[in-house]
Amino acid sequence: MGLNATNDPYRWRKDTGGLRQRLSHPFRGMYHDVRRRLPYYWSDIMDGFNYRTFAGTVRIYFVNLLPALAFQLDMGHNTDGFFGINEALLSSVMAAVVFSLFSAQPLTVVGITGLISLFNYTIFHIIEMYDVTVYPRFMVWVSIWAGIFHWAAAIFNLCDYMRTITDFSSQTFALYVGTIYIIKGVEELSVNFYDERYLNGFASALIAVLYTLSIYFLEKVRDTTFARPLLRQLLSDYAYPIATIFWTGFAHFPGNLSRVDFLHLPTTRAFYPTVDRPWVVPFWTLSPRWIFAALPFGLLMTLLFYYDHNVSSLTAQARRFPLTKPAGFHWDFFLLGCTCFGAGVLNIPLPNGLVPQAPVHTDALTTYAEHVNDIRTTKSIADADAAPPVITERVTTAERVAQQRISHFLMALALLGTMTGPLLTVLGLMPRAIFSGVFFIVGWGSIADNDIVARLLYLCQEPRFRQPYHPLRRVKKRVLAQFVAWQLAGWAASVAVSQTVGAVAFPVIITALVPLRWVLFPRWFRREDLEVLDGLTATGEVVHVSLGGVPEMPEVRMERVREGRRRSEDPEGVAGTRSGNVLDEIEKRRGRSGEPEPEGNWEGHEVDGQSGEGDGGGVKQRTNRRATDGGEGASEREEESDDTRVGQQEYNSRC
């Protein structure tokens, strides 16, 4: 069974593909998501009976459990103990059951995130100024409103606009999430120093740092050449359980460590709320003024989840994974609205897509193949008469992914079992310092591999040691610095707002980066620079089929409009140019095919007085092409030799 994205019926023609048409065709995206994914349901089960599923289940259980408990500590500390371990576990169980059985994207792991923790206790601090007793019922109505807005967004096909997300905003968001996690780790670690407990504080800090380093190096073993491939794979697959079990036991070692009074994870009765209350509070007794006061908070939460959850789904289906089964963003966002509604009624934290952990599940289910690549040098260093030495290089490629539902469902059962009395007792043995380490390792994962960090390091690098075929060499240093500065501005503003009582507004800042990129950046940066610096986050046919196709980038559309104006003003002078011929060929091809053209503009935005209703037209968005408007950059590219171009292509393929 193969995916035929070319003939997929979920498309919007450029003359009928605007926001108004999406609103007038409710349920269309959800219908096609289910229709497209349903034939794969049986294979989603059968493909799960292999070793990768078992390894993925163990890994994602710990990757989901430990951060959820860490966020629960953060929420409990900032809400006077209202949220506890059972609330966090029940929320993760409910989301895992729903998404493993019914979602169109079962690889996307849903659970408790640091951002929902931030959202919950910020609302608590606001309500505390008026009447803290209404907080439980108020949060129910926030969740109900959020569920309604989720359903509306899914029903009216608004998830299509996730295809306009580029690395500019997604990398900024990832850096923001990683920074918040690091901050939370430090805050959680500071609790161990309360009441002048310095011995406990420094011992806890040591365990947190060593726990972080243990997981980091164990997961990196797979990328080394030490020992045998099987041992490297096992150490990487089970890094979290190995480190967690060892450092939990370390805190209970006899001797001098017994004098340290470590703080441990607080637990409660099995399957009961943390505080003395029923699972369902009488939210219907809340006064109407508080009910409608919850509406804007529900809208802000929807805005957060719209970006956070869908970006999580995108990263779980990133371009580096060889996926073959189609995605389904509209249907999954509808399911997320259902879990919001259900979690709200139970007064537990709302589950959401886990951004830093999202690719971990897919990575654990991926089978990698190792190959040895021999690189022959042209000259022997030791002896001029000897044969040229050979450098052995290890190459790892992703062969296939076990796209199935079993690992997600087994994780749900394991989390449910964790709510039982015996396992809660075991969790109570864990020192709180470990959860600081969880914040550190998860946060660092979003920072270390971030493009913003890599480009900052590139700017700081001495020019003579930069690789000659590095893609960033095609961009002026000043332009690169300006682009990164905008990303850092969005990151700094989001972090700053998150440290205030207005933290619930940070989703507005992150979301505003998307129209900023589509509306203003094509006017501030050249197309050639944007093609190097930025690109669509949603790549691959399996993703695009659910989002209505590949959008046309605004800089491409703007150049096409300008080229059309030049042709209309001077048809003889432009008709003979290479760009004119390409545009003519594109138009002829469109006329012959008669296929619907995917609408690709940021809805409602006009470019140079034009409507902006563009179409992809087969133009490759991320290819490096020569400039057609003259200038120094164009002349330099015209003078490149064939050898240089070949070398540059080889370097880009390796990168």
Side-chain angles (χ1 to χ4, degrees), residues 431-449:
R432 292 185 64 153
I434 282 183
F435 299 101
S436 296
V438 171
F439 278 124
F440 292 151
I441 190 64
V442 175
W444 180 249
S446 293
I447 296 175
D449 299 329

Side-chain angles (χ1 to χ4, degrees), residues 50 52 321-323 362-363 365-369 397-403:
N50 54 65
R52 293 306 329 156
F321 299 121
L323 303 178
T362 312
D363 180 72
L365 297 171
T366 303
T367 300
Y368 292 94
T397 57
E399 288 190 334
R400 61 185 178 276
V401 178
Q403 294 179 254

Side-chain angles (χ1 to χ4, degrees), residues 140 143-148 151 336-346 350:
V140 174
S143 305
I144 291 175
W145 285 118
I148 293 173
W151 294 333
L336 189 65
C338 297
T339 57
C340 285
F341 190 94
V345 171
L346 294 175
L350 271 60

Side-chain angles (χ1 to χ4, degrees), residues 75-102:
M75 281 188 289
H77 176 70
N78 288 282
T79 58
D80 293 341
F82 182 77
F83 293 106
I85 184 172
N86 282 346
E87 285 83 0
L89 291 175
L90 182 59
S91 177
S92 298
V93 168
M94 181 183 66
V97 169
V98 170
F99 277 82
S100 63
L101 295 179
F102 305 111

